[in-house]
Amino acid sequence: MTTLHPRSPQYWRFEAWRSNFESLEARRKAGEFDKPVDTQAILTEARAELAETEAMLKKYNID
């Protein structure tokens, strides 16, 4: 088995990956990802942002 030196970039990348993985596993075990996703709310928010952006483009005459 290969060991990584604690100051090597590979070691830090692995530690970041491991930490992220453990965090996601803890969140999964807590049931955070079992909740249904409200796609309609996401679409409504995206449409509102799009309308706001289009209004700003029109206001400043940006094509």
Side-chain angles (χ1 to χ4, degrees), residues 36-49:
V37 176
D38 187 1
T39 54
Q40 290 304 316
I42 295 170
L43 286 173
T44 302
E45 184 179 342
R47 287 184 182 116
E49 288 180 9

Side-chain angles (χ1 to χ4, degrees), residues 23-34:
S23 172
L24 288 171
E25 279 295 296
R27 290 170 61 193
R28 183 186 62 79
K29 287 178 183 173
E32 188 173 329
F33 300 120
D34 296 335

Side-chain angles (χ1 to χ4, degrees), residues 11-27:
Y11 178 85
W12 291 108
R13 279 195 293 269
F14 175 76
E15 281 299 306
W17 175 86
R18 186 186 58 75
S19 174
N20 188 36
F21 177 78
E22 288 175 353
S23 172
L24 288 171
E25 279 295 296
R27 290 170 61 193

